[in-house]
Amino acid sequence: MANLPAINSVVKVIKPLTEKHPRLGQTGTVIQYSGHGMVCVHFPDMPPGQGIFFNPHHLQIIES
């Protein structure tokens, strides 16, 4: 399994699934993992508890 950023880590989206992904370059907080090793990231403009799942290879850890 990939090296996953810790829960509550601050991560930056560096390589989203699509080139025009609206979250490219944004930073958010890791809030959970999926059973398949995906990382759920909460962004400041989202309601509490919501997030978007990313492949951990698409994220850069800013602060752990």
Side-chain angles (χ1 to χ4, degrees):
M1 180 169 266
N3 190 8
L4 299 176
I7 297 289
N8 293 325
S9 291
V10 177
V11 294
K12 181 176 183 178
V13 180
I14 56 169
K15 189 168 57 171
L17 300 175
T18 62
E19 289 297 316
K20 294 181 171 30
H21 195 284
R23 297 293 180 181
L24 179 62
Q26 291 191 17
T27 57
T29 306
V30 176
I31 57 171
Q32 68 183 47
Y33 309 123
S34 76
H36 302 291
M38 298 290 278
V39 178
C40 188
V41 180
H42 171 82
F43 295 95
D45 61 339
M46 297 178 135
Q50 287 193 357
I52 300 173
F53 282 96
F54 289 94
N55 182 315
H57 299 298
H58 298 169
L59 300 171
Q60 176 184 10
I61 299 172
I62 303 295
E63 181 183 314
S64 57

